Structures are given as structure tokens and as C-alpha cells.
Amino acid sequence: MSNRLNQEREENLQPQRMESCQKKLEEMGFDVKSDGSTLLSFVYKGKQVQFWPYSGWHSGATIRDGRGFKHLIDQLEEER
């Protein structure tokens, strides 16, 4: 669990966000790996991309780092 102020909210939302984001990425054709609690990762253009669903942060060598699942999806769809 993180050091966020509202840990109860995070505890409730984290599994839902993990599941829905993983499902969407898999629908887009990515082989998504999960650490089981906070992180999703997949390969895009030969490099690993990491995504933390609760905070929305995404990072990787082949994308622009930033926050927000929609922004990540927009980047992935631009190149398709």
C-alpha cells in the first residue's frame, strides 16, 4: 500500500483499475504482465512499457512518459 492519504479508497479502486486497464490493453493485442498488485507492463516497439493504473503514470523508452490511461491509449493508437 502506498503512503496516500486515502488508503481505503486506493485499496478499493486498485483491483478494479488493474483489471479494466489490463483488459483494454489485451483487447488492443498486447501481452500484459502484472505484478499482481500495482504494476502492468507490456512490450511496445520492442521496449518495455510500465503502467501504474491507480496513479495513471506510464513510462517507457518508446512512449512519452505521462499520466492518464487515456493519454497512454492515445499514444498507442497513434502508431497503429
Side-chain angles (χ1 to χ4, degrees):
M1 190 61 46
S2 71
N3 292 327
R4 288 185 174 82
L5 291 176
N6 196 338
Q7 291 185 355
E8 183 178 323
R9 180 176 189 271
E10 179 181 357
E11 186 177 330
N12 289 331
L13 289 176
Q14 182 84 287
Q16 296 169 15
R17 291 184 184 180
M18 290 283 291
E19 183 179 335
S20 65
C21 293
Q22 182 170 355
K23 181 179 176 185
K24 174 64 176 172
L25 290 167
E26 287 174 345
E27 286 173 358
M28 292 177 71
F30 295 103
D31 180 26
V32 181
K33 306 287 188 229
S34 171
D35 73 349
S37 61
T38 62
L39 173 69
L40 299 175
S41 61
F42 58 95
V43 175
Y44 179 65
K45 294 184 176 179
K47 302 286 184 176
Q48 185 171 352
V49 173
Q50 295 180 318
F51 176 65
W52 291 266
Y54 188 76
S55 68
W57 184 257
H58 48 272
S59 181
T62 54
I63 64 167
R64 293 179 311 276
D65 294 356
R67 189 174 308 277
F69 188 59
K70 181 175 179 351
H71 293 136
L72 173 61
I73 296 300
D74 289 347
Q75 286 186 64
L76 299 175
E77 287 179 340
E78 281 177 7
E79 300 295 323
R80 290 191 159 225

